[in-house]
Amino acid sequence: MNEVARTATTLMQLKLKDAPTLIESVFPAQKVSFEAQAERKAVAAQTLTGLGSYWKGRKPLILVRGIVLGSLLPPTDDPEQDLVVFEKLMAFDEESLARRALAANAFSASALQELIPINDPEEYFSGRGWRRDIADDDKLVLYRRALATFGSYEEKAGLGKRPEEVNQEWLFAPVWPEVNRHYAHLGVSVKSLPELVEQFGVLRYGHRPRVGDTFSGGGSIPFEAARIGCDAYASDLNPIACMLTWGAFNIVGASVEARAEIEKEYNAVANAVRSAIDALAIEKDAKGNQAKAFLYCLETRCPESGWMVPISPSWVISKNGNVIAQLEPDTANKRFNIRVKSGATADELREAAAGTVQDSNLHYQLNGKIHRVPIRTLRGDFRDSHGNSGNRLRPWEKSDFAAAPGDVFQERLYAIHWIAKDSLKDARPKTYFAAPTEADLERERRVQAIVAKNLARWQHEGLVPDMAIEPGDKTDEPIRTRGWTYWHHLFNARQLLLYAELKKHTSATMSLSFCQMINTSARLTRWTVGDGPGRSGGTKQVFDNQALNVLFNYGCRASIYLLDSLAAKVSGSPIPQVSRLEQRCLPAAEISSDCDIFITDPPYANAVNYHEITEFFIAWLRKNPPKPFDEWVWDSRRALAIKGSGEDSRRGMVAAYKAMADHMPDNGMQCVMFTHQDTGVWSDMVGIFWAAGLQVVAAWYIATETTSELKKGGYVQGTVILMLKKRTAGDRAGFKQRILPAVRSEVQRQIETMMHLNDEVKSKHGEPVFNDSDLQMAGYAAALKVLTAYTQIGGEDVTAFALRPRVRGEVTVVDEIVQQAAEAANSLLVPEGLTADTWAKLTGIERFMLRMMDMETTGAAKLDNYQNFAKAFRVEDYARVMGSMTANQARLKRVPEFASRDLTDSTELGATRLGRLIIGVQQVLAEIEPQAIVSQLQAEMADFLEVRSLLVDLLAFIKRKTLEPEVRTAAEILAARLKNLRFGG
């Protein structure tokens, strides 16, 4: 409180109470998109993923930082300088980029000398490196010059560390004088980000700003808000989400000293568990070699041959080590022995990769005969007279932890990954794979006996789950495919024994590490074959893709491999001591704390069923949770979770956002993030905020493109950022006829303002602030700003309108107005080189083609742009005109790539003038006489005379924008012939 009082003597409290926020008009969305993508690509190196990488929905910290700052800073009468200062505070400016590159040692001495002329290299370099006495300030002189040789922001930023990775005091040292000058009229005087946040909080709210998130999930929003100096409130219905947020505050955000104590605790636990396992003598052989991992597969009796057949989709164990498993028939026992072979040939590796599961069939060869039995047949899948599906798998009991003798699917240990005794203490120990010996199988039986003797007691004491699996979209899978009915069935005997030992050392900090461990070793952890440099193989996570993927073979970590994570340094980024933190475990609608700014990423229309899959963890933690987790309800509370996008979910969202609106001041701000999906989600969102008493004031689109080995082709993650304020009190009725002109006017004003800023910045810095997607999104926001100001539309109360069930195929007044806004925005976004008159006469597919050709020439086109503009221009099938749909290499087909079937009158493009011109250019390339092509166009187009100038414009555009020289020449020839055409002579 004293800190606030001190600041208030130099600042006028609440001076900005009624002032707009910067994010309502300016937000460097392109640069934030790039930085967000860079943060995502850091994978395990992201600040919070160490707490629980199974929670995939965390929003990038750099995005959260931008939203908080944009919601606090005010616009001045100099929007260009507002943007400059904002980008400095985000470390996006040229000086920050140089410092980020230096922090990453982006250039070697020789690279710098190749990039830029250096008149006196001996001043900087000695031999092949820097002089020892050279200071960072001297290095920066060269780094600034070197970065100036790169053209785009992406190239420059890609050389350096992410802003959060760099020492903040050094990174932002040059920023504060300019910040203080720009905001001197407000009495601002700061020398750190927390000071800036606090002073603008005083100016806007009268105190340090308080940021809340009632869907805190993985905790990135409240964590980043606190890290830059806000007070933070976090709540979530799900206790696993609450635990992760607690970890963000108390582990990652802890002081250096506190993290050192956590490391001591982790080491003590690891040593205790290691000693207990050593005493049981279940992981070392007679020679002292230490097991690192155990590989298990299913086994079943084939109904055709009567043999027991091991099941695995691949028998490759390690690509790098050329290690495979080979099946050898044991005729006497009608089963297969499994031999592990190192040094396999390329042919043997290829043969082993096929496995005994192919296309959902058990597939194997015996005595020269191929046997193929569907897995569903083995399970005995059926559908009863009522249409209910089932199978003949035995449902496992609470006392089970392994298959019973008569079960369809048995389980067997088929390989062990060993660490050689003489290299146990080496940094890179020697490892090898071997089939289990009789002594190994005896140790396996010992483990089974220990678990059988203790399981009931462990379950009673909460050391092992005793919680049943509740059926659901994701949880049906283990029940249906394996007969598992309790959560402990997802773990084998070794895993249960090891985790029971770990659970004896329960604390809040250990709980987070424990959840990471069970995510890396369960019956659902894929074994990877180590195809990376120096990798022999290892287990992946259970939640690779937010589903409970039941496997035919899996890897199980031994204690040395599992406990290795506890030896790692606890990395972090301390939260300033001034930040006050509050956390609750409750539904969003039950919030009872006030916040100035709410930033939320709600689960609405979210495909991830966290309310189901987190029961995997809840089952282990719900009994005797440590403080402060014992204050929470350790249940997923599925019935209360907002999920999907039906009527109940809409009502839940309205209740949540109305509660947040009720707990923020009249000048408070809300930011809602949601993944860009169909227009139905847009309409639903508008209705939800309408009913909650909120008005949209801005919208931004953040694109993050990536690819995944688990998905075919590329996919795009795009996030819409909606900014909202409380709707002004009082009734305001509107009718479509009056609203539409106001929408068009607001769209035009918004886009023209942004385009003006674009021109100003581009003329000075070479790059615009906003791309076409930003401008298009601004068009939506302008429409929603007008629309959500009303309390009645066409005589209907907006709350009633928002809550009534949506009829399939219905086009509501909201849909109409949003579409009108999109069309108004698109009419203003004329590609460079076309006249507005020509643009107005084009069809949707023509506009799409030309818009994307223009974006491709600037290097700005990403797959999400094609998706978004296809929707905006109402293109039926944009994939038909795409040359590549790969996420980071998306592009249109080039003119020569269009096949004749792509350009018939029955296709969307072929029926247009542009389609006819593409055929014409192809004909010029095929050396058909240009005059014949013109005559053909004239014969096919009834309005040829009226549109001739438009055809010439289109060909001139193709000439300017196409990449192939021969196409440019052909377009120029055809345009010249059209332009010089003589009639009547």
Side-chain angles (χ1 to χ4, degrees):
M1 206 55 200
N2 291 337
E3 186 66 22
V4 174
R6 182 193 65 75
T7 325
T9 60
T10 57
L11 303 172
M12 185 182 295
Q13 280 190 326
L14 301 175
K15 184 177 178 67
L16 297 177
K17 180 176 181 291
D18 300 315
T21 62
L22 192 57
I23 201 168
E24 293 174 58
S25 55
V26 172
F27 191 66
Q30 291 184 72
K31 293 179 181 178
V32 172
S33 291
F34 176 82
E35 298 288 355
Q37 183 180 1
E39 189 176 325
R40 281 270 190 258
K41 285 181 176 177
V43 194
Q46 294 177 77
T47 300
L48 295 181
T49 49
L51 296 173
S53 52
Y54 47 84
W55 197 282
K56 310 292 184 184
R58 290 187 179 96
K59 285 295 180 273
L61 300 177
I62 194 72
L63 172 58
V64 178
R65 180 173 293 207
I67 292 166
V68 173
L69 292 177
S71 299
L72 289 173
L73 299 175
T76 69
D77 55 5
D78 187 349
E80 188 181 343
Q81 191 59 25
D82 289 342
L83 178 66
V84 167
V85 170
F86 192 13
E87 292 193 347
K88 284 180 181 292
L89 290 168
M90 295 292 291
F92 294 171
D93 61 299
E94 296 292 322
E95 176 63 22
S96 295
L97 291 174
R99 289 173 179 247
R100 288 165 56 184
L102 177 58
N105 292 313
F107 303 117
S108 65
S110 57
L112 279 170
Q113 292 178 77
E114 289 173 13
L115 268 175
I116 54 175
I118 302 174
N119 297 328
D120 45 356
E122 58 279 352
E123 182 181 341
Y124 298 97
F125 309 113
S126 175
R128 303 175 76 178
W130 293 100
R131 278 177 42 175
R132 288 186 178 180
D133 60 344
I134 201 80
D136 282 349
D137 285 348
D138 297 315
K139 292 180 182 179
L140 276 170
V141 172
L142 299 187
Y143 265 77
R144 292 182 192 108
R145 289 174 54 201
L147 251 67
T149 66
F150 292 85
S152 69
Y153 177 84
E154 287 79 3
E155 288 177 300
K156 296 173 184 177
L159 292 165
K161 288 191 171 185
R162 306 196 309 276
E164 63 173 300
E165 296 179 289
V166 183
N167 179 285
Q168 302 290 284
E169 188 176 339
W170 176 74
L171 178 62
F172 289 107
V175 171
W176 307 122
E178 187 158 359
V179 169
N180 293 334
R181 277 196 302 274
H182 187 61
Y183 296 116
H185 63 289
L186 298 172
V188 169
S189 177
V190 299
K191 54 183 184 299
S192 71
L193 212 49
E195 283 186 11
L196 175 124
V197 164
E198 177 156 0
Q199 291 194 20
F200 275 100
V202 170
L203 286 163
R204 198 171 282 283
Y205 303 113
H207 52 253
R208 184 187 303 114
R210 193 163 194 252
V211 173
D213 179 5
T214 58
F215 300 101
S216 65
S220 61
I221 292 170
F223 169 76
E224 184 63 9
R227 190 166 65 156
I228 62 172
C230 300
D231 291 339
Y233 168 87
S235 65
D236 202 293
L237 176 69
N238 191 305
I240 298 299
C242 294
M243 180 189 71
L244 291 169
T245 300
W246 183 92
F249 286 162
N250 295 281
I251 299 177
V252 179
S255 66
V256 174
E257 296 77 17
R259 289 203 308 276
E261 289 301 313
I262 294 170
E263 288 174 8
K264 285 183 185 176
E265 178 194 358
Y266 286 172
N267 283 322
V269 170
N271 289 333
V273 173
R274 204 173 285 121
S275 295
I277 297 300
D278 285 346
L280 294 173
I282 55 173
E283 290 187 348
K284 289 183 179 176
D285 66 10
K287 296 178 181 177
N289 299 311
Q290 168 72 53
K292 182 181 179 183
F294 300 88
L295 278 64
Y296 295 85
C297 68
L298 294 189
E299 192 171 39
T300 192
R301 191 168 299 282
C302 174
E304 289 186 357
S305 67
W307 279 51
M308 287 296 289
V309 184
I311 313 176
S312 176
S314 170
W315 293 112
V316 176
I317 293 173
S318 173
K319 275 189 180 178
N320 275 350
N322 296 329
V323 183
I324 61 172
Q326 294 178 316
L327 305 188
E328 296 179 339
D330 176 358
T331 305
N333 294 300
K334 299 188 77 170
R335 69 191 298 271
F336 290 88
N337 295 322
I338 302 178
R339 173 174 170 245
V340 172
K341 180 178 181 179
S342 298
T345 66
D347 286 343
E348 288 173 326
L349 279 164
R350 193 161 39 251
E351 184 180 344
T356 48
V357 180
Q358 297 178 26
D359 300 323
S360 299
N361 295 311
L362 175 67
H363 186 286
Y364 69 102
Q365 186 170 337
L366 181 64
N367 299 326
K369 180 184 177 182
I370 292 177
H371 295 267
R372 186 182 294 108
V373 182
I375 299 295
R376 65 177 181 272
T377 300
L378 295 173
R379 281 197 308 260
D381 289 3
F382 65 83
R383 195 174 290 276
D384 65 20
S385 58
H386 301 290
N388 300 314
S389 58
N391 57 47
R392 64 186 180 92
L393 295 181
R394 178 188 70 90
W396 285 28
E397 302 290 337
K398 182 179 175 182
S399 58
D400 287 329
F401 59 88
D407 284 349
V408 172
F409 295 119
Q410 300 293 310
E411 188 173 271
R412 73 185 277 187
L413 174 66
Y414 71 93
I416 302 175
H417 194 191
W418 291 101
I419 302 174
K421 176 187 177 182
D422 58 3
S423 69
L424 277 169
K425 294 184 179 179
D426 294 352
R428 298 192 66 179
K430 297 173 188 171
T431 65
Y432 63 96
F433 292 90
T437 65
E438 182 53 38
D440 296 324
L441 295 176
E442 176 55 35
R443 280 186 285 275
E444 195 76 1
R445 287 189 285 271
R446 194 182 311 157
V447 172
Q448 302 259 344
I450 294 170
V451 175
K453 179 181 177 182
N454 293 285
L455 181 61
R457 178 174 60 83
W458 288 345
Q459 289 178 323
H460 177 71
E461 294 174 358
L463 299 178
V464 165
D466 61 356
M467 177 174 156
I469 301 174
E470 182 182 339
D473 288 343
K474 298 298 180 185
T475 48
D476 278 347
E477 182 74 1
I479 300 172
R480 182 182 65 85
T481 60
R482 291 293 180 273
W484 295 338
T485 57
Y486 285 79
W487 284 103
H488 74 279
H489 296 156
L490 277 61
F491 303 87
N492 72 14
R494 284 189 176 275
Q495 291 159 342
L496 293 173
L497 172 56
L498 194 45
Y499 295 146
E501 284 298 329
L502 271 164
K503 280 282 287 173
K504 292 175 184 176
H505 306 275
T506 300
S507 70
T509 50
M510 264 307 302
S511 295
L512 280 112
S513 287
F514 181 82
C515 286
Q516 275 289 59
M517 289 182 196
I518 64 173
N519 186 41
T520 59
S521 188
R523 280 187 163 120
L524 311 187
T525 44
R526 287 187 301 121
W527 178 257
T528 62
V529 295
D531 48 4
R535 295 176 182 169
S536 53
T539 67
K540 293 292 283 183
Q541 298 182 33
V542 170
F543 292 108
D544 270 348
N545 62 348
Q546 285 70 60
L548 294 162
N549 301 299
V550 180
L551 307 172
F552 292 105
N553 72 320
Y554 65 91
C556 164
R557 295 188 177 196
S559 61
I560 194 169
Y561 187 10
L562 188 76
L563 300 174
D564 187 53
S565 62
L566 293 180
K569 188 171 179 60
V570 178
S571 60
S573 183
I575 291 172
Q577 290 186 346
V578 295
S579 297
R580 290 188 290 270
L581 311 173
E582 181 185 357
Q583 187 179 10
R584 294 283 182 268
C585 189
L586 42 74
E590 292 181 16
I591 182 175
S592 58
S593 296
D594 292 342
C595 294
D596 306 304
I597 301 168
F598 282 102
I599 303 174
T600 51
D601 175 19
Y604 189 74
N606 192 341
V608 180
N609 293 312
Y610 283 117
H611 55 283
E612 289 184 18
I613 63 175
T614 52
E615 291 170 2
F616 176 87
F617 304 103
I618 290 170
W620 283 93
L621 300 179
R622 71 189 187 102
K623 276 194 174 182
N624 308 316
K627 290 186 178 298
F629 303 167
D630 57 348
E631 299 170 8
W632 305 341
V633 177
W634 278 92
D635 187 282
S636 64
R637 292 188 277 182
R638 291 189 189 186
L640 296 177
I642 293 174
K643 46 191 178 289
S645 53
E647 188 176 350
D648 288 345
S649 290
R650 272 206 310 279
R651 290 182 180 276
M653 286 280 283
V654 170
Y657 282 95
K658 187 171 189 316
M660 284 183 264
D662 290 343
H663 284 90
M664 73 179 196
D666 290 342
N667 67 333
M669 177 73 79
Q670 288 210 34
C671 170
V672 182
M673 309 182 196
F674 63 96
T675 302
H676 189 50
Q677 296 186 20
D678 58 46
T679 50
V681 175
W682 267 99
S683 293
D684 280 357
M685 283 292 183
V686 172
I688 287 162
F689 303 135
W690 230 344
L694 295 165
Q695 180 177 5
V696 175
V697 294
W700 304 98
Y701 181 68
I702 306 300
T704 304
E705 300 205 13
T706 184
T707 56
S708 168
E709 62 185 18
L710 296 174
K711 303 209 177 192
K712 297 288 185 184
Y715 70 96
V716 175
Q717 182 185 2
T719 299
V720 175
I721 308 298
L722 276 184
M723 304 305 302
L724 306 107
K725 288 184 171 179
K726 281 188 177 181
R727 187 166 57 240
T728 307
D731 290 333
R732 189 177 176 202
F735 295 89
K736 188 168 72 172
Q737 294 81 352
R738 282 189 6 215
I739 293 173
L740 282 175
V743 164
R744 292 192 194 99
S745 175
E746 181 63 20
V747 169
Q748 184 169 351
R749 186 200 65 76
Q750 179 69 49
I751 289 182
E752 286 178 350
T753 300
M754 293 171 72
M755 289 173 77
H756 176 71
L757 180 59
N758 250 8
D759 293 340
E760 292 288 316
V761 173
K762 188 175 180 180
S763 66
K764 293 179 182 177
H765 302 287
E767 284 189 301
V769 190
F770 311 112
N771 65 20
D772 285 350
S773 289
D774 301 325
L775 294 166
Q776 186 190 47
M777 196 59 60
Y780 279 121
L784 300 181
K785 185 176 180 179
V786 172
L787 195 58
T788 51
Y790 291 96
T791 54
Q792 290 182 32
I793 299 288
E796 184 175 8
D797 176 74
V798 295
T799 302
F801 173 86
L803 291 178
R804 67 177 163 85
R806 198 174 170 86
V807 179
R808 187 176 181 84
E810 177 189 20
V811 178
T812 68
V813 66
V814 175
D815 298 325
E816 278 189 63
I817 291 170
V818 168
Q819 187 58 46
Q820 289 273 348
E823 290 174 7
N826 291 329
S827 68
L828 294 167
L829 302 178
V830 182
E832 186 181 10
L834 278 182
T835 64
D837 185 54
T838 295
W839 183 246
K841 295 175 183 174
L842 300 178
T843 64
I845 185 68
E846 288 175 312
R847 287 187 174 188
F848 173 77
M849 289 289 295
L850 300 181
R851 158 70 56 229
M852 301 322 298
M853 284 176 70
D854 186 42
M855 292 185 75
E856 285 180 1
T857 59
T858 63
K862 307 288 185 185
L863 183 54
D864 65 299
N865 297 133
Y866 295 93
Q867 293 170 343
N868 294 340
F869 278 106
K871 288 177 185 174
F873 294 128
R874 299 188 184 184
V875 176
E876 292 174 14
D877 183 12
Y878 79 99
R880 186 141 194 182
V881 298
M882 296 295 290
S884 171
M885 295 281 284
T886 304
N888 296 297
Q889 298 169 6
R891 65 170 180 83
L892 297 171
K893 285 181 179 175
R894 310 292 183 226
V895 168
E897 291 176 335
F898 280 98
S900 56
R901 65 177 177 275
D902 297 326
L903 298 169
T904 65
D905 286 345
S906 63
T907 65
E908 198 171 2
L909 180 60
T912 66
R913 301 181 186 104
L914 179 60
R916 291 297 304 119
L917 290 178
I918 290 173
I919 294 172
V921 172
Q922 287 181 339
Q923 290 173 326
V924 174
L925 291 170
E927 300 186 359
I928 295 175
E929 172 58 42
Q931 184 56 51
I933 300 169
V934 171
S935 298
Q936 188 178 349
L937 289 171
Q938 195 169 356
E940 291 175 347
M941 295 182 179
D943 57 351
F944 179 80
L945 290 177
E946 291 81 7
V947 301
R948 183 171 63 131
S949 61
L950 182 145
L951 299 178
V952 171
D953 279 355
L954 293 180
L955 286 166
F957 186 85
I958 292 172
K959 177 197 165 189
R960 280 191 298 274
K961 302 298 180 181
T962 196
L963 298 176
E964 299 84 6
E966 65 276 14
V967 175
R968 286 200 292 271
T969 302
E972 185 176 21
I973 289 169
L974 191 56
R977 191 58 65 99
L978 279 169
K979 192 182 293 184
N980 298 325
L981 189 63
R982 296 283 182 267
F983 295 96

